[in-house]
């Protein structure tokens, strides 16, 4: 029942197939994240009037867009590195990846809401909830990959105790109730988490240059 | 009339070319499904007001979005596996694939309609019609690939009698008239079909790990 | 001045580079066409009300969407085959390809216009003008590729006298003035051209199976 | 701590990995630029009425769309060539690339604004500001790549003194204040810069055919 085509000749067969499955999962994820990061710009409404004054009410919207752009960029970068260190995929990884993409797909939605009500507690808290659940989904995906690769894998070594990931989740979880106290405190936390991930990470650089 | 470039040197030529044609078909399909799965989020309107109360009327819309996200995710997963087991493409496969993408492209449209009228029979039935026709298009594509690969192919063996596919089609066909009786019965059927496909399928896992 | 990295080792260097440049051009074109073919569905407005009656005024819009979907699918298929038979790209090919993508990018625009005024001469004629200019851009791109590959190339042989391409251009050019006489005559011509390209073409199949 | 999978067998390991990381960065950038270049067409509103007269007020919008399409096409072409000459990526390059994509993502936004107010100074100047900052981001990315590749790299040689890039930045910087004097002067400058990049560049062609 096995085909005898060119792709099945010899011992090199299995790894190549795994690589292809992984390649298509990466391409699909890249597509989804690329779309999410760019459709947010569709939400930026044309400034009222033709003067610079029309831009003023858009400033919080533009800043929220920038923050969401950075968060999606961070997820893309981390996703990129994580699958870089992944050799094989399975059904659990496929669904864990779609689960992550689902929460990321809600980022433009909460961005729009926070942009329209940038001093209100509920949208600010909702933004944190989506980021928190995306972070949880990322950890689930990471664990699914490590489970497939084995505890002695390169990814398990690179991730280590994942201090940064745990700190981010803790900060998001703190930001959600704080948003009801003072929305700007939550905003500061979101910006802080983003900066934490942008600054060069020796762990990731080491993995990249490996 | 044959070129003499580097790509035409030797016996490895033909399979590679087939693989490339297939790769581009996969990339195009990935692009279309990635766009469909994400543009639905553009439909989620900003909640009215800045309180949590604004989210309440959006709950059915969000749940419909989640269901459609899952259905498109299932199609992407199955499409991924099916072409994994496909070595060659031809013109019929190209058009059968576009035919499937056409019906999938209507998913955001019916999602929007059902989201705006979630207890009405017609949108609920229309949702089932689109899913049914997408399912039929999937079977046509599957048959086109098996016809190209031959009855003894890996895909033919993996698909087998395709009990799951046939059961899905039967359930969609039942949901359409039931939507006019009680829309929630059709909703339950849609969720049931989605769950049927999400739970790990030994058949597919076996193919993946092969 | 030459790097000494792994990509520059030995005589296999040049063809690989050409292939990569071509691969990225294909990926970019696939992305643009995948987006164009799917964003049209965003134009489909939610039916008024919750009954089937709400779908009736959408029928011409849905049919126009289907026709444009088919036209973009034809262009993707042909683009796919043309670059299949292309080994090298250059700056002229890059810009000729962007020129084609520009005219294709106007398809959703004229689709929307014709969908909103499906019996009016001007939108029907504008649809033909965009299809005609896309067709002209396709021929320019084809000639740029043949010029790069040489007259004895596989593509030149496959294209031959390009009867189908010339007939399509002639029919579009005829449809534009006829749209002012009777819009439905132009519609019939558009459907006829689409069918002409969908029916299996032994020329293309021969190239594919080569 | 090293995996022993198929991807880690032998001395060919490292370059291949770099190439894959680069490949995914290219694919992601292609996706974002493809989306940006096509979503602008969503902004083209349906002409009022069904006559040709309805197109007249859209002419400046269509011309602005064409100009932005050309600018994004130029960036894609240059991005394509730059990474063609890049062998390795690192974290700085990843973020410099996202920084460039951020400014490019604002092109549809300023295109929409200028399209709605095509004779007003502020939108015309804002268009120049976005192009200028995208140009600066491009130079930062270019420098990050050259820093990784070394001063003797192929890219450093190809870029040379980058007269065209510097001239473009100077012209954009001049266009911003001139837009307040006479918007059309800025428009002429934008068109001039675009033409400067479209005309065949022996430097780039030499790199491509290398």
């Amino acid at each position: 029942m096995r085909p005898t085509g060119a792709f099945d000749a010899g011992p090199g067969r299995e790894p190549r197939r795994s690589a292809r499955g992984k390649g298509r999962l990466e391409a699909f994820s890249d597509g989804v994240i690329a779309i999410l990061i760019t459709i947010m710009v569709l939400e930026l409404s044309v400034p009222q009037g033709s003067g610079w004054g029309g831009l003023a009410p858009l400033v919080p919207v533009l800043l929220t867009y920038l923050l969401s752009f950075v968060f999606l960029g961070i997820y893309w970068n981390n996703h990129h590195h994580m699958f870089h260190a992944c050799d094989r995929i399975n059904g659990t990884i496929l669904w864990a990846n779609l689960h992550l993409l689902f929460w990321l797909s809600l980022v433009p939605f909460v961005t729009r809401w926070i942009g329209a009500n940038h001093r209100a507690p509920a949208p600010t808290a909702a933004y944190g909830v989506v980021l928190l659940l995306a972070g949880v989904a990322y950890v689930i995906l990471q664990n699914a990959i490590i489970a497939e690769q084995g505890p002695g894998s390169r990814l398990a070594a690179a991730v280590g105790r994942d201090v940064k990931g745990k700190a981010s989740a803790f900060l998001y979880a703190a930001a959600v109730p704080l948003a009801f106290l003072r929305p700007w405190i939550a905003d500061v936390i979101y910006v802080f988490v983003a900066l934490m991930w942008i600054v060069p990470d020796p762990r990731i650089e080491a993995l990249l240059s490996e």
Side-chain angles (χ1 to χ4, degrees), chain A:
Chain A
M1 283 303 176
R2 290 281 181 72
T4 55
F7 279 96
D8 281 273
R13 195 190 48 157
E14 287 192 27
R16 197 161 16 142
R17 251 180 211 146
S18 307
R20 285 204 57 254
K22 173 189 154 187
R24 211 178 150 186
L25 183 146
E26 287 180 322
F28 183 73
S29 309
D30 283 357
V32 170
I33 300 176
I35 296 160
L36 291 173
I37 218 170
T38 42
I39 59 173
M40 289 188 293
V41 88
L42 280 176
E43 309 299 330
L44 300 175
S45 51
V46 178
Q48 303 249 320
S50 58
W52 289 108
L55 281 180
L58 283 181
V59 168
V61 181
L62 281 166
L63 288 178
T64 316
Y65 171 56
L66 173 59
L67 186 63
S68 296
F69 190 98
V70 167
F71 270 117
L72 287 172
I74 289 167
Y75 270 103
W76 180 74
N77 270 3
N78 290 353
H79 192 274
H80 176 111
H81 291 312
M82 186 162 63
F83 276 93
H84 202 69
C86 167
D87 294 327
R88 271 187 306 278
I89 60 166
N90 58 27
T92 311
I93 294 174
L94 285 175
W95 278 107
N97 189 56
L98 278 168
H99 177 229
L100 170 62
L101 294 178
F102 176 75
W103 290 112
L104 293 182
S105 83
L106 291 180
V107 169
F109 171 66
V110 288
T111 300
R112 229 179 310 166
W113 200 20
I114 212 177
N117 304 275
H118 63 284
R119 295 226 181 103
T124 309
Y127 195 81
V129 168
V130 167
L131 288 178
L132 176 59
L133 291 172
V136 169
Y138 189 85
V139 170
I140 292 173
L141 174 58
Q142 195 167 260
N143 290 343
I145 295 175
I146 291 175
E148 170 73 32
Q149 307 265 306
S153 69
R154 193 152 45 102
L155 181 62
V159 165
R161 291 184 307 126
D162 197 15
V163 178
K164 223 177 192 174
K166 282 174 188 156
S168 303
F170 175 81
L171 287 166
Y172 292 141
V176 173
L178 286 169
F180 288 96
L181 212 63
R182 292 277 183 283
W184 67 263
I185 300 180
D187 293 337
V188 167
I189 292 175
Y190 301 148
V191 172
F192 177 79
V193 174
L195 290 176
M196 194 172 82
W197 284 98
I198 292 183
V199 291
D201 182 338
R203 189 179 74 186
I204 280 175
E205 289 291 319
L207 183 66
L208 246 190
S209 66
E210 196 183 323

